[in-house]
Amino acid sequence: MQDMMNVSYDTLIPNNVGLSSDKQVLKALEKWHPGYINWWNDLIPQNFQESLVYLRTAVSVDPKGWAKFDYVKMPEYRWGILLAPQVEGRTIPCGEHAGEPAWQEVPGEYRNLMKRLIVIQGDTEPASVEQQRFLAITAPSLYDMRNLFQVNVEEGRHLWAMVYLLQKYFGRDGREEADDLLRRSSGSEEAPRMLGAFNEETPDWLSFFMFTYFTDRDGKMQLESLAQSGFDPLSRTCRFMLTEEAHHMFVGETGVGRTIERTCQVMKENGIDDPYDTDRIRALGVIDLPLIQKKLNLHYTLSLDLFGQEVSTNAANAFNAGIKGRYHEHRIDDDHKLTNDTYTVWDFEDGQLVRKEVPALTAINMRLRDDYTRDAAGGVGRWNKIIEKAGIDFEMKLPHEAFNRKIGVFADKLFDPEGKLVSGAEYDAGQSQWLPTHADGDYIQSLMVQVTEPGQFAGWIAPPKVGIDNKPGDFEYVKLAMA
Amino acid sequence: MNKPLKQHLIDPEICIRCYTCEMTCPVEAITHDDNNVVVDVDKCNFCMDCIPVCPTGSIDEWRVVVEPYSLEDQYSWSELPEQEEIVGGDEADTGMEALDEAMAALLAEAHAGAGGKVRAPATASKPTVNLYTIGKPATAKVTGNFRLTAEGSDNDVRHIILDFGGQPMPVLEGQSIGIIPPGTDADGKPHLPRLYSVSSPRDGERQNYNNLSLTVKREEGGLCSTYVCDLKPGDEVQVTGPFGATFLLPSDPDAELLMICTGTGSAPFRGFTMRRQRETPASNGKLNLVFGARRPEELPYFGPLKKVPEAFMHKVFAFSRLEGEPKHYVQDKLREEAGRVSAMLTNPNAHIYICGLKEMETGVEAALDDIARGVGLEWKTVRDAMREDGRYHVETY
């Protein structure tokens, strides 16, 4: 690692933050960089590290410059520090400082709150790469393998983005936090990742697609609200990250969609109309629709937990301080202070689920979660169109948000996917129809085989409609290094 | 009847509603409801900022319409409507090539030699057309003007480099741009633009620069060619376009190309070759060039061409005025290459491109006819099938 110290970071790290003239931050990043490269090299199996992957790299932040496609070995991917262009005269969009000029430095009174938010966001980025580290071994095609690696390198870049903020604006504390981001590790006993959902392994590709659809979408919503921050460097960072996050949503939505499409196609080809005829369907090597629904139930509800308590003073404080806005704050037509407004949240009173008006300020999490649910429902509608087109009588549904929750008012109580409170016996009886069982997991696992012939796909998934970067169907998205 | 226009649309089946395009659009032409993300035809100015930011490829959809689709139409879609047959039906009427009557007519004329309705190669990238018009041209700066033919030759062919600075100029190999000569005609009206094929690849004459090159021959008394050939570095030029939506390079790296040209007809093929060199430099045996000129000194890019390895591109030159040699024309060389050419006639991955002076068409057609007959094929049938399949392209003037 000796030569790492001599690398010219001004050319190695594409950046639009003037790193070369910012000696202190440059030095901090130089100290951090070898640890990052070690982390990356230890993570993903070696033969993939040496393979040429057709990746998109951002070379600048204007629309023309951030989608350059080329073959790259992943360790040579140019992880850059890229902030969306500064908006002249930008003001704090919400809370008690609304309308004042946006902060270019961290205001002392909010330092800890802000650092905490950045650290939590930063912690999820490497965590998801860790969770997905072995998936390439069972990639259903080179196309999918490329998409996985694209997601991975961009999550890596998002870690860089957060580390830059920590090192630039939070001094010694920030440097320590940046080091801890590499010290913690998903699923570790001693130093796990901060959020529960990021310590679960991603065992198979359907889980990966569900994760990118539902859990990365939580990440997208968090980035959306941080993009509204009054702390301008954080806002600019998150705005640029969102353009990359869109690709992750794409991988999830089309991945689940292609799985559904293939199942429907194989059912039709074999004259099976009943989606619940699962033994026959599984004998044909595709994933039955009821099992896909069970995976959906699981990943959606796990992701809802990431939004925290329905009523939260922390969230109220962050909004009021102007550190974190609402989804599309700039398009909401109100006073952006919420001092006298209310918002409807779920509560649980006298054994009943009730809707209750609470001060809107305290319901910031709930509002973001509602926006999330609306956003997530869109793709489910598209999946149903695929099923409908195939003429199969089945409909995917988001379960009731009370189902399978560990955080918030619904935690510690048993609900069915329709949101009905059920007894322990009823829950036990229904559970295997609502959530994936171990046997379901084993079945999905049995389908996971690596396919490395360009243009070929594993039997359980349909090819995409359009190639990445408009490439033809048999394009060699990954040139695999021989192991 | 309203004049047909080209409308930018988003494919709702492919789009995942991430709204990245909407956030990127500088004129707020893109908007959404709970169902679809849509483009407002009245606001979209074809700046193309939304194209690279889309993670899905759903954004690059275009329809020629008489009556544009409203926002409500687009919100209600679950799939993109097919391109409707526009009354009149052919290239010049639909304006797919150029959306500009004069330019479309010129291109239709140039493509007439293909013998029917031409189509783009199936895997070609989607071209942008008519981004700049006579009313709203782009201003390019000349950054180079080099003579390609030997000093002693009476044939003056120039390599002109134009830089577009901050203005987007998304050209694909094989497309043309219009140059507006300054001044006015006898009636006091501004001159119409003249079309020139771009001779550089899509990512710039110099890679990742927003520039392109043209290959222009000085015509005796030619108003525009004289203007262009006399340009000096630093001069500013008014440009329209890009134009052309069928004479394009297939993106499929396995596509085999037979490129037949004379003189400045080599311009698009220089773009094709450079694109392939930058994209798939290790791909051998896919390119074939048959190039005719009077003498080597008058063959544009003769020097650089000779440096392209034979394995990467098979090159055959036909010289018609070589001292002490019989006259050779491209059709003669085609006949000499009959084995190679006839194999391409039955190869579903093969594309034939012809570019140059109108006069070359007859000779080339006759040679191809003979070669086809030699292997028991009927040329017209082969040609029509290839054309229908987007694999036969003629651009002559």
Side-chain angles (χ1 to χ4, degrees):
Chain A
M1 287 286 109
Q2 202 55 40
D3 63 332
M4 280 299 179
M5 302 308 293
N6 298 321
V7 170
S8 162
Y9 282 82
D10 209 24
T11 53
L12 183 71
I13 309 174
N15 73 86
N16 65 345
V17 293
L19 265 191
S20 58
S21 58
D22 196 345
K23 294 289 179 235
Q24 211 175 351
V25 178
L26 183 60
K27 205 172 132 204
L29 281 171
E30 278 177 350
K31 277 189 81 170
W32 189 80
H33 183 268
Y36 174 82
I37 293 293
N38 281 343
W39 171 79
W40 183 270
N41 282 334
D42 289 346
L43 200 59
I44 290 177
Q46 193 57 29
N47 65 316
F48 299 121
Q49 304 271 15
E50 286 162 11
S51 300
L52 285 167
V53 187
Y54 193 68
L55 290 178
R56 169 182 84 173
T57 306
V59 295
S60 73
V61 292
D62 63 316
K64 304 267 186 296
W66 73 268
K68 294 286 175 211
F69 286 89
D70 209 346
Y71 285 107
V72 189
K73 287 184 187 168
M74 283 188 284
E76 290 160 19
Y77 178 82
R78 288 161 65 89
W79 282 287
I81 294 163
L82 301 166
L83 273 59
Q86 191 162 359
V87 176
E88 191 76 31
R90 180 169 180 265
T91 56
I92 297 167
C94 60
E96 59 178 315
H97 305 290
E100 297 171 20
W103 301 301
Q104 299 303 329
E105 295 292 334
V106 184
E109 55 196 309
Y110 303 133
R111 193 166 181 280
N112 282 332
L113 185 56
M114 195 115 62
K115 189 180 72 189
R116 172 101 187 138
L117 286 173
I118 294 172
V119 168
I120 291 177
Q121 183 66 41
D123 196 61
T124 63
E125 311 290 358
S128 67
V129 187
E130 290 161 0
Q131 292 173 291
Q132 296 157 9
R133 57 186 297 189
F134 294 120
L135 281 178
I137 297 166
T138 55
S141 70
L142 291 180
Y143 167 88
D144 289 288
M145 191 188 288
R146 183 219 89 94
N147 285 350
L148 168 73
F149 290 150
Q150 182 80 60
V151 170
N152 289 165
V153 294
E154 286 177 355
E155 298 294 8
R157 204 199 67 75
H158 292 179
L159 171 61
W160 271 90
M162 292 297 123
V163 163
Y164 169 73
L165 291 178
L166 288 170
Q167 295 189 330
K168 165 92 180 161
Y169 296 100
F170 295 90
R172 170 185 285 278
D173 294 0
R175 289 198 295 279
E176 281 170 10
E177 293 286 5
D179 291 341
D180 282 349
L181 287 172
L182 291 179
R183 193 177 55 80
R184 283 187 293 272
S185 169
S186 178
S188 154
E189 285 294 320
E190 314 79 59
R193 290 295 173 188
M194 297 170 88
L195 299 175
F198 289 88
N199 285 305
E200 309 280 341
E201 194 197 342
T202 307
D204 59 71
W205 278 77
L206 184 56
S207 301
F208 170 62
F209 293 143
M210 288 289 180
F211 182 95
T212 42
Y213 187 80
F214 287 110
T215 308
D216 278 350
R217 189 173 305 271
D218 158 69
K220 169 185 154 181
M221 299 309 281
Q222 301 299 338
L223 287 177
E224 287 274 9
S225 61
L226 292 173
Q228 302 294 335
S229 179
F231 178 43
D232 205 38
L234 177 60
S235 163
R236 290 168 57 202
T237 302
C238 291
R239 264 181 282 149
F240 189 70
M241 286 161 76
L242 278 168
T243 55
E244 292 168 325
E245 202 67 28
H247 177 263
H248 311 180
M249 305 291 104
F250 158 76
V251 170
E253 179 167 332
T254 55
V256 176
R258 288 161 52 216
T259 309
I260 291 173
E261 185 186 338
R262 180 67 185 153
T263 301
C264 293
Q265 186 195 348
V266 168
M267 282 173 67
K268 293 319 271 183
E269 282 169 6
N270 291 275
I272 304 174
D273 288 325
D274 178 8
Y276 293 95
D277 196 353
T278 52
D279 288 344
R280 275 181 75 200
I281 294 168
R282 290 191 185 186
L284 294 164
V286 292
I287 304 172
D288 49 287
L289 301 180
L291 175 48
I292 297 174
Q293 173 70 55
K294 285 195 263 183
K295 294 291 286 181
L296 183 163
N297 289 347
L298 176 68
H299 286 269
Y300 172 62
T301 52
L302 283 177
S303 303
L304 288 180
D305 277 345
L306 294 170
F307 288 87
Q309 302 285 343
E310 284 84 354
V311 172
S312 156
T313 46
N314 272 344
N317 289 341
F319 178 85
N320 203 34
I323 292 171
K324 202 173 167 180
R326 292 167 292 176
Y327 180 57
H328 288 174
E329 182 75 44
H330 58 297
R331 294 201 180 165
I332 301 175
D333 189 20
D334 64 11
D335 69 353
H336 303 283
K337 292 178 195 274
L338 300 181
T339 33
N340 299 312
D341 296 346
T342 59
Y343 192 81
T344 311
V345 301
W346 284 111
D347 205 351
F348 196 78
E349 276 175 357
D350 306 326
Q352 293 286 328
L353 278 182
V354 291
R355 301 288 274 166
K356 208 166 92 178
E357 299 269 310
V358 298
L361 255 185
T362 63
I364 290 290
N365 284 345
M366 186 69 186
R367 183 184 174 116
L368 190 65
R369 204 176 84 195
D370 287 343
D371 287 327
Y372 166 83
T373 295
R374 213 167 298 127
D375 201 48
V380 179
R382 299 303 167 99
W383 298 336
N384 283 328
K385 286 210 175 107
I386 300 173
I387 303 174
E388 194 186 310
K389 224 172 167 177
I392 291 166
D393 186 20
F394 190 90
E395 194 185 340
M396 296 283 169
K397 267 204 290 254
L398 291 180
H400 192 279
E401 54 204 311
F403 176 67
N404 190 38
R405 297 295 304 284
K406 305 288 181 282
I407 289 177
V409 292
F410 309 118
D412 309 322
K413 298 179 190 68
L414 297 175
F415 295 90
D416 72 7
E418 305 297 326
K420 187 171 132 267
L421 197 62
V422 293
S423 70
E426 287 170 305
Y427 191 86
D428 285 347
Q431 194 176 10
S432 68
Q433 275 112 67
W434 302 334
L435 291 170
T437 62
H438 288 106
D440 290 334
D442 289 348
Y443 173 67
I444 296 176
Q445 205 50 252
S446 75
L447 299 179
M448 296 297 126
V449 287
Q450 193 185 44
V451 174
T452 56
E453 183 70 19
Q456 299 299 308
F457 290 80
W460 58 271
I461 191 166
K465 287 199 174 66
V466 184
I468 295 292
D469 193 27
N470 242 330
K471 291 293 171 197
D474 56 355
F475 184 73
E476 192 174 6
Y477 288 101
V478 181
K479 296 186 188 215
L480 280 174
M482 290 302 126
Chain B
M1 191 181 93
N2 289 332
K3 197 171 131 189
L5 61 95
K6 185 164 115 163
Q7 183 173 11
H8 181 202
L9 298 169
I10 296 173
D11 186 338
E13 273 192 293
I14 311 282
C15 168
I16 58 154
R17 305 159 315 283
C18 66
Y19 315 131
T20 311
C21 55
E22 184 175 332
M23 286 179 283
T24 304
C25 179
V27 295
E28 296 185 3
I30 302 180
T31 173
H32 71 269
D33 69 354
D34 283 344
N35 199 31
N36 286 338
V37 185
V38 301
V39 187
D40 188 337
V41 68
D42 294 328
K43 291 185 183 163
C44 175
N45 63 3
F46 300 89
C47 76
M48 303 286 152
D49 273 7
C50 57
I51 306 295
V53 301
C54 174
T56 70
S58 61
I59 191 98
D60 204 0
E61 291 292 344
W62 312 86
R63 293 289 181 272
V64 175
V65 291
V66 177
E67 192 65 51
Y69 296 108
S70 68
L71 295 182
E72 283 65 38
D73 292 338
Q74 297 177 54
Y75 285 137
S76 72
W77 289 343
S78 51
E79 51 192 79
L80 200 64
E82 291 286 322
Q83 172 65 52
E84 295 201 15
E85 287 293 323
I86 303 285
V87 185
D90 74 12
E91 185 188 322
D93 285 342
T94 61
M96 259 315 235
E97 292 264 17
L99 290 179
D100 175 302
E101 283 162 31
M103 296 300 122
L106 280 175
L107 277 171
E109 174 66 18
H111 294 174
K117 185 171 165 51
V118 284
R119 292 180 198 283
T123 64
S125 297
K126 299 222 172 68
T128 303
V129 294
N130 221 41
L131 189 52
Y132 299 99
T133 57
I134 301 176
K136 202 184 80 176
T139 304
K141 191 167 263 175
V142 178
T143 55
N145 178 349
F146 309 96
R147 186 172 166 126
L148 292 170
T149 43
E151 277 305 323
S153 164
D154 54 355
N155 202 343
D156 182 14
V157 179
R158 298 268 168 176
H159 184 70
I160 314 279
I161 302 171
L162 300 178
D163 190 284
F164 287 84
Q167 305 153 96
M169 182 47 98
V171 288
L172 294 176
E173 306 77 20
Q175 281 195 294
S176 301
I177 60 167
I179 302 265
I180 309 176
T184 52
D185 64 15
D187 299 332
K189 290 202 189 122
H191 292 296
L192 284 178
R194 307 295 198 274
L195 280 182
Y196 295 99
S197 282
V198 173
S199 54
S200 52
R202 65 189 74 182
D203 50 353
E205 166 70 10
R206 182 166 170 200
Q207 196 163 11
N208 296 329
Y209 278 64
N210 191 17
N211 60 9
L212 56 77
S213 66
L214 303 175
T215 312
V216 182
K217 183 181 171 204
R218 187 187 299 273
E219 301 290 346
E220 196 67 34
L223 171 89
C224 196
S225 72
T226 307
Y227 163 65
V228 173
C229 290
D230 288 342
L231 284 169
K232 308 245 168 333
D235 286 352
E236 290 194 340
V237 185
Q238 303 297 304
V239 176
T240 63
F243 302 115
T246 60
F247 196 98
L248 299 171
L249 176 68
S251 300
D252 178 1
D254 289 330
E256 286 181 35
L257 272 48
L258 173 58
M259 301 174 278
I260 308 166
C261 61
T262 55
T264 55
S266 58
F269 302 147
R270 179 176 182 269
F272 285 9
T273 309
M274 286 176 74
R275 174 69 182 167
R276 283 286 182 101
Q277 283 176 314
R278 286 180 189 175
E279 278 280 282
T280 50
S283 168
N284 283 336
K286 303 276 193 269
L287 301 183
N288 302 279
L289 176 73
V290 180
F291 194 165
R294 288 193 289 184
R295 303 174 190 89
E297 309 83 76
E298 290 169 26
L299 191 136
Y301 310 110
F302 187 61
L305 262 177
K306 282 206 304 192
K307 290 198 192 110
V308 177
E310 185 65 17
F312 185 78
M313 181 160 73
H314 176 58
K315 302 173 292 292
V316 179
F317 299 108
F319 299 112
S320 58
R321 305 278 168 82
L322 219 48
E323 195 99 2
E325 295 267 335
K327 292 183 176 181
H328 283 287
Y329 294 98
V330 283
Q331 50 267 37
D332 304 323
K333 292 292 171 188
L334 280 174
R335 286 196 174 85
E336 285 176 21
E337 298 280 327
R340 196 182 278 262
V341 175
S342 61
M344 295 188 82
L345 297 184
T346 52
N347 176 354
N349 268 337
H351 295 244
I352 298 179
Y353 294 85
I354 299 167
C355 190
L357 297 172
K358 272 255 177 273
E359 295 81 69
M360 74 186 281
E361 272 177 28
T362 327
V364 169
E365 282 253 358
L368 291 172
D369 200 317
D370 287 348
I371 293 167
R373 196 159 347 95
V375 289
L377 294 171
E378 212 246 326
W379 165 242
K380 281 232 159 28
T381 316
V382 175
R383 181 196 73 182
D384 290 351
M386 286 185 79
R387 191 186 59 239
E388 278 295 301
D389 204 18
R391 298 188 294 112
Y392 184 70
H393 304 276
V394 178
E395 192 160 293
T396 51
Y397 32 84

